[in-house]
């Protein structure tokens, strides 16, 4: 075979396929739409490692370098990038901006994929999804429960999104599954809140060795109950040896392979309405390992999505 030219190689890469989307309200039905949230003020509020504001940029750099795959499979996907949401004066204002964008995408029967940024922005993403899709079951893949109260001054840290969704009555407790949490990373008051609101809890230890099977069962159960599913992945669910570039690194946790399998299962769910990948922190990812992992996780998700 002859040498492949740089031009031909470029034509088979995601950077040549991903299309800009200026107006989310005009996205095609069935499209997959990337949305960046370059905001880590919630991480700072919770005294975490700042740097996730650069997460969407690092993700795109790694993602766009990937090829479209064997037989250019991902070229068959209508894949768009809506750019980054407009940041508000506070991160709470940015949550509302994100909710508007996500609601517009979901209303067009397209799939929003949000890249963060602090995990507090999942509040906006799921609020927008619920606004457009109504009844939605939610799975949080995370080392943390993210059920914290707001700060005394009323600000929202990165650990607040799911409590806030419940307290604001966007979802009820039984609609939420906390998957992969680590008991040593969460205070008792958070577990008390979870039990009081009938949130379903599956720890990293509970799922060890059978995470994909457990996750598949939970997905099917949520779809039977609520028809639609929203999935949030905080990259700190993965052990820091494989994902060091996050806001709150985990000494132990799910493996990258397990999370890959979880996302492949997610892609097979007919009721999937929302996905986010949060807390990518390039400041603590000097060799780009975590950004590349996040990019490959989404690539594999999209490959499974296209093959449904």
């Amino acid at each position: 075979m002859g040498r492949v030219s740089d031009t031909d190689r470029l034509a088979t890469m995601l950077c040549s396929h991903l299309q800009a989307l200026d107006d989310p309200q005009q996205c095609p039905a069935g499209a997959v739409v990337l949305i960046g949230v370059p905001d880590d003020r919630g991480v700072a509020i919770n005294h975490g490692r700042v740097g996730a504001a650069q997460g969407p940029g690092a993700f795109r750099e790694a993602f766009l370098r990937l090829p479209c795959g064997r037989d250019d499979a991902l070229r068959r996907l209508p894949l768009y990038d809506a750019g980054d949401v407009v940041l508000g004066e506070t991160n709470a204002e940015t949550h509302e901006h994100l909710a508007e964008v996500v609601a517009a995408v979901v209303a067009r029967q397209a799939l929003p994929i949000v890249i963060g940024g602090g995990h507090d922005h999942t509040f906006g993403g799921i609020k927008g999804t619920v606004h457009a899709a109504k009844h939605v079951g939610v799975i949080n893949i995370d080392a943390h429960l993210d059920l914290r109260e707001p700060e005394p001054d009323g600000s929202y840290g990165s650990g607040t999104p799911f409590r806030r969704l419940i307290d604001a009555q966007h979802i009820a407790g039984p609609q939420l599954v906390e998957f992969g949490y680590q008991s040593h990373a969460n205070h008792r008051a958070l577990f008390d809140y979870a039990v009081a609101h009938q949130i379903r809890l599956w720890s990293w230890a509970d799922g060890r060795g059978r995470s994909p099977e457990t996750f598949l069962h939970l997905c099917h159960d949520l779809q039977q109950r609520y028809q639609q599913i929203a999935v949030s992945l905080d990259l700190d669910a993965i052990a820091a040896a494989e994902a060091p570039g996050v806001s709150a690194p985990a000494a132990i946790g799910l493996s990258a392979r397990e999370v890959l399998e979880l996302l492949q299962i997610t892609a097979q769910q007919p009721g999937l309405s929302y996905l986010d990948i949060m807390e990518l922190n390039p400041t603590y990812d000097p060799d780009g390992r975590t950004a590349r992992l996040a990019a490959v996780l989404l690539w594999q998700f999209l490959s499974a999505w296209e093959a449904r």
Side-chain angles (χ1 to χ4, degrees), residues 182 204 235-244 249-256 259 293:
Q182 299 179 22
W204 168 79
L235 289 168
D236 72 21
I238 304 171
E242 294 186 278
I252 60 174
L254 297 170
S255 69
V259 172
L293 172 59

Side-chain angles (χ1 to χ4, degrees), residues 31 33 35 102-103 105-107 109-114 125-126 128-130 132-138 223 226-231 266-267 269-276 301 305 308:
V33 182
I35 305 164
V102 168
V105 171
V106 175
Q109 297 184 319
L111 176 66
I113 297 179
V114 175
I126 293 180
T129 303
V130 170
K134 305 306 179 186
H135 302 293
V136 180
V138 179
Q223 285 201 148
Y226 306 110
Q227 288 76 56
Q228 306 294 316
I229 297 178
V231 176
T266 296
Q269 306 312 307
L272 182 67
S273 297
Y274 172 89
L275 172 67
D276 69 35
F301 166 87
W305 178 267
R308 291 186 309 167

Side-chain angles (χ1 to χ4, degrees), residues 204-226:
W204 168 79
D206 292 334
R208 189 167 47 202
R210 55 189 179 90
S211 291
E213 294 84 357
T214 300
F215 188 81
L216 178 61
H217 173 77
L218 291 169
C219 285
H220 286 172
D221 183 63
L222 283 176
Q223 285 201 148
Q224 288 179 352
R225 292 170 184 254
Y226 306 110

